[in-house]
């Protein structure tokens, strides 16, 4: 009887276990740099969560593999007639072996879920000062038109430190815009507008690929993001907008055809 | 009305003799073998396609083809045939047909004629799918067949795709009804639900999932054909349709389908682990309930395939949570598998080598699923080689290895002969090492940004991680290829010239297919109707009472 009530207490405590990570999170003050996207870009945030997740699954996997491997060696059959002697579980042990592992799994799930929730919000809340770029995908070309009216194929030039939001649509089939450096993917589709944003924090070029199967040249549909310093960027805009009076649809279709 | 059952038990052990007997058979075991032959033929075709792709990807630039359409045809064939032609038929066809009725002590499936129809539907589906290799407008829209691409002319013959899916779907549905009835009504006297081997539970549950979800898949591809050829607009935004509708319908089936593969192959692992360790399955009843729990949980996870498809944010977050819940029943199954070794007396037979290798692949595969489940983490790895590596570990490779383990395990009951043990172990080791070398490095290529379904990766030509991952992966393919080839040779050698089995129970199992049948079970499986006494359990290795045979084979005409 006494043992039973003790067991009930232990089980009750186990039920509370998964709450610990979420509570710990609630009491943790929001780090100052999170309010400021310049302090922590979504892709840096992504990498932090990624490393934690990788550590998490590595630890789980190694522990599990070691236990299994140890069992495999310890419990080899010796004699011809030898049989297994798995202890008979009591009713309570049976329930315990379901509830306790489940609570541990759930605890870990919630822990990661909360991390992911934060990261999700970071990726899905566009900063108010983001500049907009219209992106049209087609087989097999990325067409960017920015607020200055600069129209370019397979290369987007942006200013360092200034967040960019892409408004995206597809001309034909599904495509998916993935910016390798910025760790963000989102599909483009006909009939719907989707979006993604990123913070170009480092000068230089990075790769853009298509991540949704879109036909013969799916793997030939790639481009780059080119990040310029503020001065270089202003010079680039001045040069682009001065030269030609806005690129026409015909011209962009022609470049698209060149690609094929 | 014995004609309804097709045949009476004649107690004579052995297989059909003539071609006619093979082809027009109504015996569930022979039908099971037909499923197995179809599955292995599919594995060979799809494996050759995989090898061609893997060699093409060995280095940047064209290696054996520079034709995107040809590469995409290989990829489409590989994915579709591996899943629909190899894994599902091997598990829900071969294992379900050959093993399950005997395991529950029945003399056949509930509806033998429907059973024969199911297997021949499968064969027609496979042959139809293979036509893709010869027709001029072959279909290259991947096994997922997403519109609007699948509605364009560039994709090739969409009708062929939908027909194959619908025919194979019909085969599965007939098979699922049949199997569910068999388990529910054909169990021998004395066998309660909680005395069934786990393979039976797993196959039964998988078939329930099939029954619920396959019709959704059939509907989704049927609408595709209506759209493309008759101008309906379900998925066409120009006339008010929605391309996302297809993804929702498709994954509403195809995610549960992953568990349709996972559960039966874990069932095989349970069988082999318990038999080899001569040990009880750890926490048997809880394990059964975990299997059943997959039905509700698997039905609410499909959106994780569309996290980056423009779905509303609240849905992404909600489905992140439900997806993570899968780890509970799955974790319990893994715990039970390991627990089955605890204080066991493990004998490392050939099948056990394959099973253990599959188990370790499964650990890696399952854990690499956790990052994919988190919607925000998926933004970085969606449709990349991280996903490719993950699903090959969890489903393709561990599933394939578990199937092969099962073939080696039941081999003596199929052929009356044993496979060479040394060679069995060697091929298991080769396959394990080879496949880790194929898929391991690709995980890291995925982290670096390598997208899936690419025939080339010139944009990453100066990324050393990606290029060397592909290089090593292709070397891994050669090891895998040789091992797979050798495995088939071992089977052929075993079937034709292997050592004759001296015992009907070479591994020392407690399950009825080993303890109550001839070396090769004959028509009707048991010489006379079998029943299990009280206290009998398939995993009781200490004091199991022996199965009982009724002295007079009563005339059981098949009316139940
Ligand atoms: C035998 C060794 C195998 C090798 C070397 C192999 C290799 C490959 C390769 C190179 C790809 C293309 C990856 C991409 O670019 O997206 C692929 C895709 C795929 N494989 Fe395998 N594979 C093997 C076994 C299997 C098995 C047993 C299955 C069973 C389910 C399977 C299922 C798939 C699927 C579903 C796809 C994706 C197809 C698609 O994107 O539509 N593979 N595999
Ligand atoms: Cu594309
Ligand atoms: Cu694409």
């Amino acid at each position: 009887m006494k043992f039973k009530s003790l067991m009930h207490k232990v089980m009750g405590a186990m039920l509370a276990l998964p709450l610990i990570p979420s509570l710990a999170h609630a009491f943790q003050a929001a780090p100052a740099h999170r309010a400021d996207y310049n302090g922590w870009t979504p892709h840096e945030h992504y990498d932090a969560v990624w490393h934690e997740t990788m550590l998490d699954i590595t630890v789980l996997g190694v522990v599990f593999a070691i236990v299994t491997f140890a069992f495999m060696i310890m419990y080899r059959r010796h004699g011809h007639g030898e049989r297994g002697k798995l202890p008979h579980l009591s009713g309570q042990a049976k329930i315990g072996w379901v509830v306790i592992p489940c609570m541990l799994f759930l605890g870990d799930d919630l822990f990661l879920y909360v991390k992911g929730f934060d990261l999700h919000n970071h990726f899905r809340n566009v900063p108010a000062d983001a500049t907009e770029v219209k992106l049209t995908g087609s087989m097999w070309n990325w067409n960017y038109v920015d607020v200055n009216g600069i129209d370019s194929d397979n290369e987007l030039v942006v200013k360092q430190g200034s967040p960019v939001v892409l408004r995206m649509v597809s001309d034909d089939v599904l495509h998916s815009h993935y910016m390798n450096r910025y760790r963000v993917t989102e599909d483009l589709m006909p009939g719907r507008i989707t979006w993604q944003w990123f913070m170009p924090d480092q000068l230089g070029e990075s790769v853009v690929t298509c991540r949704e199967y879109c036909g013969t040249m799916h793997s030939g549909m790639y481009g780059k993001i080119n990040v310029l310093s503020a001065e270089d960027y202003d010079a680039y805009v001045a040069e682009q907008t001065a030269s030609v009076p806005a690129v026409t649809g015909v011209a962009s279709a022609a470049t698209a055809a060149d690609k094929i | 009305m014995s004609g309804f059952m097709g045949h009476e038990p004649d107690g004579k052990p052995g297989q059909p003799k003539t071609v006619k007997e093979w082809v027009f058979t109504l015996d569930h075991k022979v039908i099971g073998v037909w499923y197995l032959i179809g599955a292995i033929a599919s594995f060979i075709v799809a494996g050759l396609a995989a090898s061609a792709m893997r060699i093409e990807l060995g280095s940047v630039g064209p290696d054996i083809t520079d034709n995107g359409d040809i590469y995409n045809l290989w990829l489409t064939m590989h994915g579709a045939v591996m899943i629909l032609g190899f894994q599902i038929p091997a598990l829900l066809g071969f294992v379900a047909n050959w093993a399950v009725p005997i395991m529950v002590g029945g003399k056949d499936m509930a509806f033998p004629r429907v059973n024969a129809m199911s297997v021949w539907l499968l064969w027609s589906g496979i042959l139809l799918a293979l036509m893709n290799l010869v027709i001029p407008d072959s279909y290259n829209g991947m096994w997922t067949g997403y519109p609007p691409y699948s509605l364009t002319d560039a994709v090739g013959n969409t009708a062929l795709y939908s027909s194959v899916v619908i025919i194979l779907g019909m085969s599965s549905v007939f098979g699922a009804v049949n199997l569910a009835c068999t388990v529910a009504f054909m169990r021998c006297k004395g066998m309660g639900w909680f005395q069934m081997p786990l393979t039976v539970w797993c196959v039964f549950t998988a078939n329930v999932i099939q029954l619920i979800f396959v019709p959704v898949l059939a509907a989704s591809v049927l609408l595709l054909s209506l759209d493309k050829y008759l101008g309906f607009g379900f998925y066409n935004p120009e006339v008010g349709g929605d391309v996302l509708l297809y993804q929702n319908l498709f994954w509403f089936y195809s995610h549960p389908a992953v568990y349709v593969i996972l559960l039966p192959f874990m069932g095989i692992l349970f069988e082999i682990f318990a038999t080899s360790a001569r040990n009880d399955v750890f926490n048997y009843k809880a394990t059964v309930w975990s299997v059943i729990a997959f039905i509700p949980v698997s039905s609410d996870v499909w959106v994780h395939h569309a996290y980056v498809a423009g779905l509303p944010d609240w849905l992404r977050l909600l489905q992140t949570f439900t997806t993570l819940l899968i780890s509970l029943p799955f974790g319990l199954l893994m715990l039970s598998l390991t627990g089955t070794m605890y204080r066991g007396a493990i004998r490392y037979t050939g099948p056990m080598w394959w099973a253990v290798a599959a188990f370790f692949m499964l650990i890696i595969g399952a854990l690499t699923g956790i990052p994919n489940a988190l919607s925000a983490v998926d933004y970085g790895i969606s449709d990349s080689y991280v996903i490719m590596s993950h699903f090959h570990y969890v489903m393709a490779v561990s599933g394939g290895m578990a199937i092969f383990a099962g073939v080696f395990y039941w081999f003596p009951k199929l052929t009356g002969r044993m496979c060479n043990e040394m060679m069995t172990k060697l091929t298991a080791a080769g396959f394990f090492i080879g496949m880790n070398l194929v898929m391991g490095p690709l995980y890291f290529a995925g982290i670096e940004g390598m997208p899936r379904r690419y025939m080339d990766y010139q944009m990453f030509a100066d990324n050393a991680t990606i290029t060397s991952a592909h290089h090593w992966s292709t070397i891994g393919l050669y090891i895998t290829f040789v091992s797979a080839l050798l495995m088939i040779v071992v089977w052929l050698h075993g079937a034709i010239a292997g050592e004759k089995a001296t015992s009907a129970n070479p591994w020392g199992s407690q399950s009825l297919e080993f303890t109550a049948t001839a070396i090769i079970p004959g028509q009707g499986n048991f010489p006379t109707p079998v029943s299990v006494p009280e206290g009998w359990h398939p995993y009781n290795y200490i004091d199991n009472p022996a199965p009982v045979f009724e002295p007079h084979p009563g005339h059981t005409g098949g009316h139940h």
Side-chain angles (χ1 to χ4, degrees), chain A residues 124-188:
Chain A
R124 301 300 294 171
N125 291 325
V126 187
D129 60 340
T131 42
E132 189 171 298
V133 172
K134 291 196 162 44
L135 165 57
T136 308
S138 56
M139 289 151 111
W140 292 276
N141 181 57
W142 302 110
N143 176 250
Y144 303 93
V145 180
D146 71 9
V147 279
N148 304 307
I150 302 175
D151 180 320
S152 62
D153 285 321
N154 299 320
E155 176 170 11
L156 175 62
V157 179
V158 295
K159 179 159 71 176
Q160 184 183 26
S162 161
V164 179
V165 57
L166 303 172
R167 301 248 167 240
M168 314 187 293
V169 69
S170 165
D171 258 356
D172 38 48
V173 302
L174 302 179
H175 302 277
S176 195
H177 192 254
Y178 173 68
M179 293 175 281
N180 190 38
R181 195 178 141 56
Y182 303 104
R183 303 266 182 257
V184 57
T185 318
E186 193 72 33
D187 285 4
L188 289 71

Side-chain angles (χ1 to χ4, degrees), chain B residues 175-236:
Chain B
V177 175
N178 209 347
L179 192 277
C181 289
T182 305
V183 171
F185 302 118
M186 304 282 285
R187 274 172 295 135
C188 68
K189 222 167 34 187
M191 185 179 285
W193 284 91
F194 286 101
Q195 284 167 298
M196 301 194 314
L198 280 167
T199 298
V200 177
W201 268 112
C202 289
V203 171
F204 177 73
T205 310
N207 274 315
V208 172
I209 298 179
Q210 287 282 73
L211 274 179
I212 302 173
F213 297 101
V214 166
V216 183
L217 177 70
S220 67
V221 298
L222 184 67
L223 300 192
L224 206 58
S225 280
L226 291 179
D227 268 17
K228 179 162 175 177
Y229 300 104
L230 297 177
F232 284 62
F234 299 103
Y235 308 130
N236 181 356

Side-chain angles (χ1 to χ4, degrees), chain B residues 126-257:
Chain B
I126 293 179
L127 293 178
L128 203 59
L130 288 181
M131 274 178 50
N132 216 16
L133 294 171
V134 292
I135 58 172
D137 58 340
S138 53
Y139 171 80
N140 67 20
M142 302 296 131
W143 83 283
T144 45
Y146 277 5
Y149 182 63
S150 52
L151 301 178
T152 64
D153 287 334
V155 76
N157 200 331
T158 307
L160 183 62
Y161 167 76
S162 335
S163 320
V164 169
V165 170
I166 289 172
I167 287 176
L168 296 180
M170 273 161 66
S171 163
S172 317
V173 167
F174 290 137
V177 175
N178 209 347
L179 192 277
C181 289
T182 305
V183 171
F185 302 118
M186 304 282 285
R187 274 172 295 135
C188 68
K189 222 167 34 187
M191 185 179 285
W193 284 91
F194 286 101
Q195 284 167 298
M196 301 194 314
L198 280 167
T199 298
V200 177
W201 268 112
C202 289
V203 171
F204 177 73
T205 310
N207 274 315
V208 172
I209 298 179
Q210 287 282 73
L211 274 179
I212 302 173
F213 297 101
V214 166
V216 183
L217 177 70
S220 67
V221 298
L222 184 67
L223 300 192
L224 206 58
S225 280
L226 291 179
D227 268 17
K228 179 162 175 177
Y229 300 104
L230 297 177
F232 284 62
F234 299 103
Y235 308 130
N236 181 356
E238 270 164 35
V239 294
D242 186 346
V243 294
L244 265 178
L245 173 64
Y246 180 86
Q247 293 184 29
N248 281 309
L249 290 174
F250 181 85
W251 289 111
F252 193 61
Y253 162 74
S254 295
H255 196 80

Side-chain angles (χ1 to χ4, degrees), chain A residues 46 61 72 75 77 83-86 94 109 113 120 124 180 185-187 189 192 210-211 213 216 218, chain B residues 69 140 242 276 278 308-310 313 316-317 324 327 343 345-346 348 377 379 382-383 453-454 541:
Chain A
Y46 181 93
M72 279 174 56
Y75 302 118
R77 185 177 304 179
R83 285 146 199 255
K85 297 183 261 315
L86 188 77
K94 281 182 189 157
D109 285 349
Y113 183 75
H120 169 95
R124 301 300 294 171
N180 190 38
T185 318
E186 193 72 33
D187 285 4
M189 46 194 126
R192 280 178 181 243
C210 177
R211 277 198 164 178
Y213 178 69
T216 313
H218 167 53
Chain B
D69 289 327
N140 67 20
D242 186 346
S276 304
R278 303 192 108 197
V308 299
D313 289 341
R316 301 180 193 206
L317 287 167
L324 285 167
S327 67
R343 299 190 63 185
I346 308 167
Y348 290 97
V377 174
Y379 300 152
S382 171
D383 274 314
R453 296 172 176 171
Y454 267 28
Y541 283 86

Side-chain angles (χ1 to χ4, degrees), chain B residues 50 53 75 78-79 82-83 87 142-143 385 388 391-392 395-396 435 439 452-454 477:
Chain B
M53 285 189 289
L75 181 48
H78 169 70
M82 278 292 190
I83 294 178
Q87 290 202 315
M142 302 296 131
W143 83 283
Y385 263 45
M388 218 281 286
F391 78 67
H392 273 87
M395 172 188 79
M435 257 349 240
M439 293 302 160
R452 70 190 272 205
R453 296 172 176 171
Y454 267 28
L477 167 80

Side-chain angles (χ1 to χ4, degrees), chain A residues 3-5 7-8 11 89-98:
Chain A
F3 176 73
K4 220 171 179 177
S5 70
M7 273 305 287
H8 286 151
M11 299 282 269
L89 296 180
S90 69
Q92 251 156 4
K94 281 182 189 157
I95 297 174
W97 272 108
V98 173

